[in-house]
Structure formats: C-alpha cells, structure tokens
Amino acid sequence: MPKQIILAAHFPGVNNTTVWSDPASGSHIDFASFVHLARTAERGLFDFFFLAEGLRLREQRGRIHDLDVVGRPDTLTVLAALAAVTTHLGLAGTLNTTFREPYELARQLATLDHLSGGRAAWNVVTTSDAFTGENFRRGGYLDRSLRYERAAEFVRTARELWESWPADPFVGDRDGGRYLDVADPGGFAHHGEQFDIAGHFTVPRTPQVHPVILQAGDSPDGREFAAAGADAIFSRHGTLADGQEFYRDVKARLARHGRHPDDLKIIPGVTFVLGDTDAEAQERAHHIRRQQVSPQTAILLLEQLWNRDLSGLDPDGPLPAVDPDVSADAISRGRAGMYADPVATARQWRALAEEKGLGVRDLVIEVTGRQSFVGTPGRVAEQMNHFVQSDAADGFILVPHLTPGGLDEFVDRVVPLLQERGVFRTRYTGTTLREHLGLRPARTREAAVAG
Ligand SMILES: Cc1cc2nc3c(=O)[nH]c(=O)nc-3n(C[C@H](O)[C@H](O)[C@H](O)COP(=O)(O)O)c2cc1C
C-alpha cells in the first residue's frame, strides 16, 4: 500500500507568496474569500484549511510593510464561521502560547471542535519577537529560553482542561431531577511554574477530545516539543533532500517519547504552478516569482537580512559590498530572527550572485522562494507523490499565490491524478480531522491508565 498524501490549504493572507497586484487577486478580508478557498479545498477532499498568525502589522524602517498584504482578521472567528459552511474539512488555526492563557484558548478551541463536529486543529507557535508582544503582556516578551517551557506547560494544561469532563456525563433524568451523572463536572487544578489555576472548565468533552495539535518551530527545542506530543508539524523543509533529513531527524525523536513514527505527520508548506506543458508552467512560474518579488519587495527582503537601509540600492545592480549589521536592533519588525547567521548567509548570496551573474532582484527571487511544484498536472502529481513515498513529507500545506481562486486549478486537475494513483482519498471516510489524518484517537488519561 503506498502512503496516502495529506493535503491542506493555506489562506496566505499576509506574506510575499501572495500576489496582490494580479487582476485576479481578491480580498484577503471579505468572508467570501475565505468561503471560496475553504469550499474549494473541501471539494478537493482536502484534510484541512490552515491560517497562520500575525498579531501585529509588520514594519520596516519604521513604516508599515504594506507589500505583505496588510490586514488579518481574527483566526478563531474566521474558523468558527467556516465551520458553518463546510462539513468535513478540518479547520486549523495558528495560535501562540506566549501571549495567551490556557483556560481561555482551551475553551475557544473546544468550542470550535463542538461547532465543527470534531474538525478543530491548533498550530502551536511561540512567535518570533517581542515586537508582537508589545500588543499584549507587560509591554513585551518572554525570554526565548522560557518560551518552549511555557508552550509545553500551556499544551499540558489545555489537555487537562479538555479531559476535565467525563466522556458521557449527561443523564437527563427528569423524574429524578438529575441532569448530570457526575459530582464535579469540569473540575481541574493545575499548579505549575507557568500556570497556577484551578476551577471548573465550562465546555464538556468535544468530539475529538483533544483538537489536532500541529507545531511550527524548527529549533532543537521546537522539534523536541513536537516529538513529545504534537500530531503534525508544519515545516519549512520542502525540498527533497532537506525534507528527508528533517523527516528522519524528527521521526527518530518519537521513540524516546514512547510514540510511533506514524503518530506525527510532517507537512511542509509548498507552492505549485500548473501549465498545459512543462515549458508553459515554467514560464508561468517565472512570471509569478517576478510578481511576488517586485523591485521594491526585493529591496525590502534584502534589508531583512542586511539589517540596513538599502532604499538607495539599484534592484538590478549588485548586492551590497558591506556585511549585514548584526549589532543594531532589527529594522524589520514582526518577522525577526529569520536568519540564524546573517553574515554567513549574505556571503553565500553574494557568491551565488557572482557565480550566476544575478542582480539584487533576480538573486532575491532565486533564494527566497518556497519549494514549488511546477509542471503539467501529471508532473506535479508525480513529483508530490515521489516526495511522500520517499519520506520527504507525509503531505503538503499548499500555499496558493492567488487569493481566493488559486486552488481551483489544483483541485480540478491534480487531485484526480493523485486519486488515480491510489494515493489520495476519493471520498471522506471519517468525520473528524483525526480520522482524515489517520491519527489514533486522542490518548486521554483514562486510555493511558487502561494501557
Ligand atoms: C513553518 C513555520 C511557520 C510559522 N508560522 C508562524 C505563524 O504563523 N505565526 C507566528 O507567530 N509564528 C510562526 N512561526 C514561528 C514560530 O512561532 C517560532 O516562534 C519560531 O519558529 C521560533 O521557534 P524555533 O526557534 O523553534 O524555530 C512559524 C515557524 C515555522 C517554522
């Protein structure tokens, strides 16, 4: 039996994958756009719909970075509304553990799981900088070393809350005047380093008991956090060799936590470009990359690495001769920490530009793209399947470049070919997201005790 491919649809909203300047690009705010993409994904029998999180508008050189389409409505509200217009599609929201509280978020996610009949998923992130934190808690941040500590305890606490009600507590005994068959519904007490809370959880057990937990974060701490308890990872490791190395690394960590390799799915974010011939698809891909990286965007992306004002630089000219400024505060805010070693990366970029004779814009186009599957529908289906069967991934979160119509062609032309190969479902066989993903039911405390 070949592995089955997991497919998810990313509504990109704010980033430079999105081509806002294309005449076919629609609103990133109107509910109709969310409905279009979600219904297309469901028509294509996708596993889930995915939203990233950005809680503050990005800035660069002190100005709002509007080339990454500005504006992003609230994730949980959008997902709850989508629950009403879809029937099977999983609904995944990225929600950070640094600026929220477990009681509140556990309640919101449990509510989404009830409203959607077991389709909720939480992509746990710690967020990348203090700039975002200024919106929230005590004017700033949680030290980096404490972020995963808080994240781990946050998820543990949320799981305690989700299990605080017994499985079937309602008796509805009218004659006896008893509604519940439990003395202490939702009772909990969590006394830990990060959270010291006790009381009663107001939301009874949900169809999945625990919403599906995704994790995005790449450091050793992030990988270990995923191995310990997440159901899936949203990764940046989309190419074949890099994907295989990441896959091996993370799956090897699971045994230490008493888990099976199939308990954690690896799902990188990727893009795709289709054409009637491979040459036509390549040409379209070239055009799309130039739309994504305008001359202005090229300079802004370069500044994110160099951490210098490069507004005077010619987008068609050579890269700066000076090295990145690693001593100053980041001039790009809301997207910091993208490069572990900016000076080394800048040197690699310069070497590549020289070797290939590239100016700034062409170099940025070359080095900042995600893994992209480009070709005829047949070639794209074949490549994606090859990645999954060779353990570079368990599936993909597709990031279309056009909102909201960017997934239509994929669903119409690639999904049937994956189905023909027997590697993608031809109908939904379950109702919950856990079932779609082939995950075992949530391992509750009772299940753990029962062995
Ligand atoms: C693929 C991927 C997607 C991410 N998406 C988000 C996001 O939508 N919102 C957010 O605040 N952080 C996001 N992050 C950042 C994580 O929150 C995390 O803070 C960051 O990667 C630092 O953790 P690390 O050192 O383990 O990588 C993402 C990270 C990765 C790798």
Side-chain angles (χ1 to χ4, degrees):
M1 261 295 271
K3 276 166 75 182
Q4 295 294 298
I5 298 178
I6 293 166
L7 287 179
H10 190 305
F11 186 100
V14 182
N15 67 35
N16 64 293
T17 305
T18 306
V19 177
W20 57 268
S21 56
D22 193 295
S25 170
S27 167
H28 292 250
I29 312 290
D30 287 352
F31 186 48
S33 288
F34 291 100
V35 173
H36 183 108
L37 191 79
R39 284 198 170 143
T40 307
E42 189 161 78
R43 181 164 66 78
L45 305 174
F46 274 40
D47 292 84
F48 62 94
F49 174 94
F50 181 90
L51 289 173
E53 177 174 75
L55 294 170
R56 185 162 176 182
L57 297 183
R58 291 171 182 155
E59 291 178 14
Q60 199 145 315
R61 277 188 257 121
R63 290 176 42 207
I64 297 296
H65 185 153
D66 68 343
L67 295 177
D68 283 2
V69 181
V70 164
R72 198 197 295 261
D74 176 67
T75 295
L76 283 159
T77 315
V78 171
L79 294 181
L82 288 177
V85 297
T86 51
T87 56
H88 285 79
L89 188 68
L91 301 164
T94 303
L95 299 150
N96 79 77
T97 51
T98 301
F99 308 118
R100 290 189 170 83
E101 295 297 325
Y103 189 88
E104 182 182 33
L105 187 56
R107 240 169 72 79
Q108 291 164 325
L109 284 163
T111 303
L112 182 64
D113 208 46
H114 273 300
L115 290 180
S116 63
R119 297 187 279 137
W122 171 20
N123 180 33
V124 181
V125 295
T126 55
T127 77
S128 46
D129 61 15
F131 174 69
T132 301
E134 288 170 8
N135 277 340
F136 291 95
R137 55 201 312 268
R138 299 178 276 281
Y141 202 33
L142 186 68
D143 189 73
R144 190 179 180 86
S145 62
L146 288 176
R147 275 185 285 153
Y148 276 110
E149 208 173 287
R150 181 177 164 100
E153 195 176 322
F154 196 120
V155 175
R156 258 199 321 276
T157 311
R159 290 191 191 280
E160 288 163 20
L161 296 170
W162 291 327
E163 289 184 26
S164 61
W165 284 70
D168 197 9
F170 298 105
V171 289
D173 171 6
R174 290 204 177 89
D175 297 335
R178 267 184 341 128
Y179 182 61
L180 279 175
D181 183 25
V182 51
D184 189 32
F188 72 92
H190 177 100
H191 303 295
E193 283 291 311
Q194 298 290 330
F195 309 105
D196 190 358
I197 57 176
H200 287 85
F201 193 54
T202 56
V203 190
R205 251 182 216 216
T206 73
Q208 297 188 108
V209 189
H210 298 191
V212 168
I213 304 283
L214 285 97
Q215 185 271 357
D218 207 15
S219 60
D221 280 354
R223 294 178 187 204
E224 208 51 36
F225 173 75
D231 299 305
I233 298 187
F234 172 31
S235 96
R236 288 203 178 104
H237 301 275
T239 62
L240 187 64
D242 187 24
Q244 284 173 326
E245 194 184 319
F246 181 75
Y247 195 97
R248 259 196 309 273
D249 175 282
V250 177
K251 297 254 178 177
R253 293 170 188 260
L254 288 163
R256 281 203 295 279
H257 299 278
R259 304 181 73 207
H260 187 272
D262 290 343
D263 293 343
L264 180 68
K265 310 294 182 189
I266 313 286
I267 326 179
V270 300
T271 62
F272 60 90
V273 181
L274 303 176
D276 290 334
T277 62
D278 287 339
E280 186 195 310
Q282 292 293 350
E283 200 174 306
R284 277 182 82 186
H286 178 76
H287 176 64
I288 290 165
R289 286 298 289 144
R290 294 190 81 73
Q291 285 181 304
Q292 287 167 331
V293 184
S294 66
Q296 298 88 332
T297 298
I299 297 293
L300 288 167
L301 290 177
L302 204 66
E303 286 181 349
Q304 289 175 3
L305 173 61
W306 251 265
N307 202 30
R308 294 177 186 277
D309 181 347
L310 302 177
S311 52
L313 206 65
D314 173 4
D316 295 319
L319 271 68
V322 289
D323 278 337
D325 185 353
V326 288
S327 61
D329 288 345
I331 63 169
S332 163
R333 312 196 73 196
R335 201 179 216 181
M338 288 174 67
Y339 302 102
D341 184 347
V343 173
T345 306
R347 287 187 181 152
Q348 281 164 15
W349 287 14
R350 258 197 230 108
L352 188 68
E354 261 167 46
E355 183 195 322
K356 296 198 169 182
L358 302 175
V360 165
R361 184 178 177 202
D362 288 327
L363 183 277
V364 170
I365 286 174
E366 174 116 1
V367 294
T368 59
R370 286 174 194 269
Q371 166 65 26
S372 190
F373 293 100
V374 180
T376 59
R379 180 171 304 279
V380 168
E382 177 197 305
Q383 283 175 352
M384 286 185 146
N385 189 34
H386 176 59
F387 271 51
V388 170
Q389 304 311 329
S390 7
D391 286 347
D394 292 314
F396 306 98
I397 297 188
L398 300 183
V399 193
H401 71 278
L402 282 183
T403 303
L407 201 63
D408 301 11
E409 214 186 352
F410 186 92
V411 165
D412 293 333
R413 302 182 70 189
V414 181
V415 167
L417 300 179
L418 295 172
Q419 290 168 328
E420 265 173 32
R421 285 175 160 79
V423 293
F424 191 65
R425 67 174 64 81
T426 51
R427 64 187 177 87
Y428 287 111
T429 51
T431 55
T432 68
L433 178 55
R434 267 182 196 285
E435 288 166 334
H436 301 341
L437 294 173
L439 292 166
R440 289 188 271 186
R443 194 166 162 78
T444 57
R445 273 171 299 171
E446 303 97 80
V449 170

